[in-house]
Amino acid sequence: MSQPANKIICSMIRVSKFYDKKPVIQDISLSYFYGAKIGVLGLNGAGKSSLLRIMAGVRTPTSGTCTLGHKVVPGYLSQEFSETIPPEITVFECAKRSKPAATERELRSQLGAFGFSADDIGKPTGVLSGGERIRLAFLRLFLAPPNFMLLDEPTTHLDLEGRATLEKALREYDGTVCLVSHDIEFVRNTVTSIIEISPAGVRRFPGGYDYYREKIADENRDESPSGA
């Protein structure tokens, strides 16, 4: 895995995104540093997925700039499977596109390791089950390892064993991770800092999920009548 020469791997300056003239995220400025493991939290519709899509280059901001650092290779796992994997290509072709230099034998071996049989690899990806889709999406990242991983609800369709395996892999991963998840235990076990998106704006917390909850609890006490 090639490491970025620059410690800042992604810089967002006054980024806004509108859909049908409706703002989803507004005036966000953030920088991500190499090796960080960041959880993005917020209510549904707060713009978490849009933020990841812009960093991954899948969407362009309506205004502002999003710039990746030198030698940064993003790897994006989307909730919308068709955003990253065309539904008409076969499972084998998907693997081949991820690592064109690999031999057929190598690709078949890797597909087998991710649970795809000889019969499965000729299937169009559009007919795969939810579990098969998430396995194929992770296989793509494994075949062409990124140094900036962007994961949108990665535990969807994973069983407990699969989730535990993913948690361990992310803790050992030496690149940068930015993830969105409603799975609180998964967030608690994987991230080391939190970004909160709310109607009041964007805030950063330099600690994991428990640190974030402690700070929110402190704020709520300070704002209560007894705290006053």
Side-chain angles (χ1 to χ4, degrees), residues 25 112 160 168 198:
I25 54 177
L160 289 176
K168 182 175 184 291
S198 73

Side-chain angles (χ1 to χ4, degrees), residues 161-184:
E161 183 181 355
R163 191 184 77 169
T165 300
L166 178 59
E167 287 179 3
K168 182 175 184 291
L170 290 179
R171 286 195 297 268
E172 294 175 353
Y173 177 64
D174 63 358
T176 307
V177 177
C178 186
L179 64 86
V180 170
S181 178
H182 286 93
D183 186 334
I184 297 306

